[in-house]
Amino acid sequence: FFFAFLPPKMFRPLLRFTPKLANRVGAAAHVRCFATTAPKQLQRVHQHTAAVRVTEMEKYAEDPMFCFQCEQTSSGTGCNNVGTCGKTPDTSGLQDLLVHGVKILAWYVHNARQTAPGLQVDAALYHFVITGLFTTLTNVNFDNTAILPMIQTCLEHIDTAKALYLDACKQAGREPATLDAMPMPEAEALTASNMADLVTHSKLVGVLATYQRAQSDDVAGVLEMLIYGLKGVAAYTDHCIVAGVEDVAVYEHMVEALAFTLSEDRNDLGKALAMCLKTGEVNLNVTKMLYGANSLLGVPQPRSVKANIVPGKCILVSGHDLHVLHSLLKATEGTGINVFTHGEMLPAHSYPELAKFTHLVGHFGGPWSRQKMEFPHFPGAIVMTTNCLMPPLKTYKRRMFTFGVVGWQGVAHLGLQLKDVDWSGVIATAKASPGFLAQHADKPFPYPAEHGIKRPAEYTIGFGHEAIIANAGTVLDEVKKGNISRFFLVGGCDGSESVRSYFTDVGNSVPDSAVILTLGCGKYRVNHLDKGTIGDTGLPRLLDMGQCNDSYSAVAVALALAEALGCSVGELPLSFAISWLEQKAVAVLLTMLHLGLKPIYLGPELPAFVTPAVLDVLVKDFGVRPVGNAKADIQAMIQGE
Ligand code: SF4
Ligand code: SF4
């Protein structure tokens, strides 16, 4: 107890010598730190904490924030002052509170369902779980004025779910279980003027609290991986909801997995890993559902897309949501305004119901991470349909619009649901902007070039699983003739770090007889490469399968190939070089682990939330490999290592 009153810098070195003492000192010090820093109205909530444990993460306890959910996290360990993504400590704190509120909401819903099987749950509760998690994904919402009301709504939903649970217990004649979780702030505390207290409160429920309340750092890391995987599933599910497609089984898993993080079982490492794999399985179903939702716009067809200037007034559409683009194309038909895609919207041109609009004229720019370099050179309105949003520059902020859960304070928001969207502001902005001039027709776009990458004037896209399976006979013949020696899936999320050139090196270094499958914005590391065609089939050796949302297509191709070649998916001549950045990629990784696809070369850095012991399991049991030297990795991949 005495040690607890020493400054943290003095007592921490002592903790290395005696774990038992460390736990006691840590618990006492945590109480002491909280008692001296927390405002009075928050101190009472501390009585609800379970025993706390000292962890390596304690070193961040007094920092303004802590977040390590994405690959670009500061120094590869955690953003503790401000997010590399631009997230401030206030936003980070509010997001932590929102995630915690969603966990509590899910706990009540899940326990109500367990108590009263077949119980009908209001869709509004499930939808809030989805939008609440998606809001906290990397590069989605930085707007405190939007997140604060969401936390308020979360409190209302928690009350509804709690009443549902208590009623279910009453009907069943059971004592309600006790929720072992830090309470949320009171509704009246949810004001911008109370931000400092809210951030203090958030530290009792964020990443550090997960570590303090878990039995080991390994468990805490896996629980964080589970939450990030669920955020990714929520993002894909949200895209489905926008398209009007849902599956209650997905919601049931979401609330079960979130409730798990507040249950006693959470400290069972095996059960926590099993819940991650189950989330990967559910994500496979969600991406299949999303593929179906997008296919309402037709089955993707291979085609070429122009990537140079088309004169006229213009609108740029980024993000991932094809149905939002469809709505915009209908609204702008006949206005004389041209629509360009950006980033992950490139595959939109392969959907017949989108491509039929003649004013969808081409593609502008590269991956999300080049927004600040490219958007200033787009002379029209810019619409972010989903992630990934970067902090907008003044040069284009007034021309920018966001949809759904995406938000930035001061950027016009189009609405949470497609039916609410009024496109008149976007159209007016496009008309008031200069547009591309006639004398620049067919010229390259004026944004700065990427280091070492020469962008083509045309992209070939549209090789979803239907297009590839339609050519399955040809592809298999080429395998038998030796014209295809191996398939390499090179893709995922891109980012701005120079080490991501690894994936271009892989694209450049695969054997001439290889076929590269690519998807996600990671494609921008390879889709400028001229890999020629497969034999005399006319099929490109580099096949663009679509967005990260189309990961189901990659799985469908793998399953079809395995069936045709009479082998298991694991025995296929198929290697994976996966670039990850945010939590959709975590969900896809969990799907790959669930399917037993391996080895998976993952990079450019491994997730900071994976501890050495858990990494050992991922390497030995699941075939995860940290990326290294591209040429050496390719040799290992060819050997199946
Ligand atoms: S989302 Fe990524 S970059 Fe942003 S604060 Fe978290 S770890 Fe840092
Ligand atoms: S692939 Fe990932 S990083 Fe790239 S735009 Fe999509 S969600 Fe963002």
Side-chain angles (χ1 to χ4, degrees):
F1 190 74
F2 164 77
F3 286 125
F5 284 87
L6 292 175
K9 276 193 181 121
M10 289 178 69
F11 78 71
R12 276 190 198 116
L14 298 170
L15 306 186
R16 293 197 197 102
F17 297 108
T18 159
K20 256 192 183 170
L21 176 64
N23 281 333
R24 289 201 189 128
V25 171
H30 181 84
V31 172
R32 189 256 308 172
C33 285
F34 188 78
T36 52
T37 57
K40 280 244 167 357
Q41 70 270 30
L42 292 186
Q43 289 183 22
R44 69 169 183 79
V45 299
H46 193 263
Q47 294 157 6
H48 292 260
T49 50
V52 291
R53 184 180 65 89
V54 170
T55 88
E56 277 291 306
M57 304 295 283
E58 210 79 33
K59 56 182 177 259
Y60 300 110
E62 288 160 42
D63 292 341
M65 62 180 277
F66 187 80
C67 179
F68 63 174
Q69 67 176 354
C70 82
E71 192 275 344
Q72 60 185 353
T73 197
S74 181
S75 307
T77 51
C79 295
N80 56 335
N81 284 307
V82 68
T84 308
C85 59
K87 194 158 82 175
T88 63
D90 288 356
T91 306
S92 182
L94 292 183
Q95 291 191 355
D96 284 350
L97 285 173
L98 181 55
V99 170
H100 186 65
V102 168
K103 285 183 190 173
I104 293 175
L105 166 60
W107 187 89
Y108 281 119
V109 172
H110 177 65
N111 279 285
R113 289 194 64 253
Q114 293 297 100
T115 310
L119 180 79
Q120 289 295 312
V121 176
D122 185 350
L125 300 185
Y126 283 143
H127 287 177
F128 190 84
V129 168
I130 299 302
T131 51
L133 289 184
F134 187 19
T135 297
T136 67
L137 204 89
T138 299
N139 293 336
V140 170
N141 199 311
F142 304 79
D143 185 356
N144 296 348
T145 64
I147 302 172
L148 260 176
M150 283 192 80
I151 301 173
Q152 189 85 44
T153 306
C154 189
L155 296 186
E156 291 161 18
H157 286 323
I158 288 172
D159 285 345
T160 306
K162 186 175 178 180
L164 203 63
Y165 176 49
L166 295 181
D167 189 49
C169 289
K170 198 170 161 191
Q171 301 289 332
R174 279 196 214 161
E175 264 310 295
T178 306
L179 169 65
D180 174 23
M182 179 69 67
M184 290 291 284
E186 301 292 344
E188 54 272 20
L190 293 171
T191 61
S193 59
N194 201 31
M195 191 61 77
D197 288 356
L198 292 173
V199 171
T200 303
H201 194 133
S202 75
K203 291 189 173 189
L204 302 173
V205 302
V207 173
L208 179 59
T210 302
Y211 275 74
Q212 288 169 329
R213 289 161 56 87
Q215 264 174 14
S216 69
D217 284 5
D218 297 330
V219 164
V222 172
L223 291 175
E224 287 300 317
M225 178 161 73
L226 175 59
I227 291 296
Y228 305 148
L230 291 168
K231 287 187 184 190
V233 179
Y236 291 134
T237 306
D238 188 78
H239 302 338
C240 293
I241 294 172
V242 171
V245 179
E246 299 184 52
D247 178 0
V248 77
V250 174
Y251 302 140
E252 288 167 3
H253 171 74
M254 298 293 284
V255 294
E256 180 185 0
L258 287 161
F260 174 83
T261 67
L262 299 180
S263 72
E264 274 184 23
D265 278 353
R266 72 180 187 273
N267 277 314
D268 183 323
L269 192 55
K271 285 185 179 168
L273 278 168
M275 192 58 86
C276 286
L277 295 181
K278 176 74 182 158
T279 299
E281 183 182 357
V282 170
N283 187 55
L284 178 61
N285 297 337
V286 172
T287 50
K288 183 177 182 183
M289 182 166 71
L290 181 54
Y291 191 84
N294 285 339
S295 296
L296 295 172
L297 299 167
V299 173
Q301 308 286 327
R303 67 188 297 258
S304 296
V305 181
K306 279 182 75 170
N308 46 20
I309 289 176
V310 178
K313 302 288 183 182
C314 49
I315 298 171
L316 185 64
V317 183
S318 192
H320 302 77
D321 204 305
L322 302 177
H323 289 271
V324 177
L325 172 60
H326 187 240
S327 169
L328 173 69
L329 287 169
K330 283 194 290 181
T332 49
E333 199 171 17
T335 60
I337 297 171
N338 292 327
V339 177
F340 291 83
T341 53
H342 174 264
E344 277 273 73
M345 294 300 279
L346 171 60
H349 297 267
S350 65
Y351 287 81
E353 287 300 309
L354 299 175
K356 74 179 185 187
F357 291 97
T358 53
H359 64 300
L360 179 63
V361 292
H363 184 78
F364 172 95
W368 69 274
S369 50
R370 284 186 41 90
Q371 280 170 42
K372 289 182 181 178
M373 276 169 278
E374 293 172 352
F375 286 1
H377 299 277
F378 188 81
I382 300 166
V383 178
M384 287 300 302
T385 62
T386 67
N387 56 321
C388 286
L389 172 69
M390 295 183 87
L393 298 177
K394 273 190 191 154
T395 45
Y396 59 85
K397 188 174 170 184
R398 285 178 189 280
R399 293 184 280 118
M400 192 173 219
F401 298 80
T402 60
F403 168 77
V405 300
V406 187
W408 185 275
Q409 200 163 349
V411 170
H413 189 247
L414 291 163
L416 285 171
Q417 297 181 34
L418 203 41
K419 65 179 172 52
D420 302 331
V421 173
D422 173 0
W423 291 109
S424 58
V426 175
I427 292 169
T429 300
K431 285 183 174 168
S433 302
F436 287 114
L437 303 179
Q439 62 264 38
H440 296 143
D442 295 327
K443 295 225 164 83
F445 293 114
Y447 46 69
E450 288 156 86
H451 180 68
I453 292 181
K454 188 172 182 314
R455 289 268 150 238
E458 214 169 76
Y459 291 104
T460 303
I461 61 160
F463 290 94
H465 68 271
E466 275 106 339
I468 294 180
I469 291 171
N471 287 291
T474 311
V475 171
L476 288 174
D477 281 350
E478 296 303 309
V479 171
K480 285 174 194 153
K481 282 192 230 162
N483 284 335
I484 298 176
S485 61
R486 194 164 195 85
F487 298 87
F488 290 82
L489 180 65
V490 185
C493 296
D494 196 28
S496 52
E497 308 102 303
S498 57
V499 284
R500 287 183 185 267
S501 60
Y502 167 88
F503 296 97
T504 308
D505 294 343
V506 169
N508 272 321
S509 309
V510 295
D512 291 345
S513 53
V515 168
I516 296 177
L517 308 170
T518 190
L519 45 68
C521 70
K523 74 177 59 158
Y524 289 102
R525 294 286 166 180
V526 291
N527 68 353
H528 60 289
L529 302 176
D530 181 3
K531 304 302 286 184
T533 53
I534 305 170
D536 54 7
T537 63
L539 284 172
R541 280 199 184 270
L542 193 147
L543 299 170
D544 184 340
M545 303 189 76
Q547 301 179 334
C548 64
N549 295 4
D550 294 313
S551 52
Y552 170 70
S553 259
V555 171
V557 165
L559 293 174
L561 271 177
E563 192 184 338
L565 293 172
C567 64
S568 71
V569 172
E571 291 164 340
L572 282 173
L574 171 63
S575 301
F576 303 94
I578 305 295
S579 54
W580 84 283
L581 179 99
E582 38 64 73
Q583 298 76 51
K584 279 180 171 178
V586 177
V588 173
L589 177 65
L590 295 181
T591 299
M592 295 179 79
L593 300 183
H594 154 71
L595 289 169
L597 299 175
K598 58 182 172 183
I600 304 166
Y601 283 75
L602 183 68
E605 300 293 339
L606 291 176
F609 46 85
V610 172
T611 58
V614 174
L615 178 61
D616 199 46
V617 173
L618 293 181
V619 169
K620 287 187 180 142
D621 296 351
F622 292 94
V624 172
R625 306 273 182 271
V627 301
N629 172 279
K631 285 189 177 155
D633 287 352
I634 287 169
Q635 286 313 312
M637 289 178 202
I638 290 169
Q639 303 302 321
E641 293 167 4

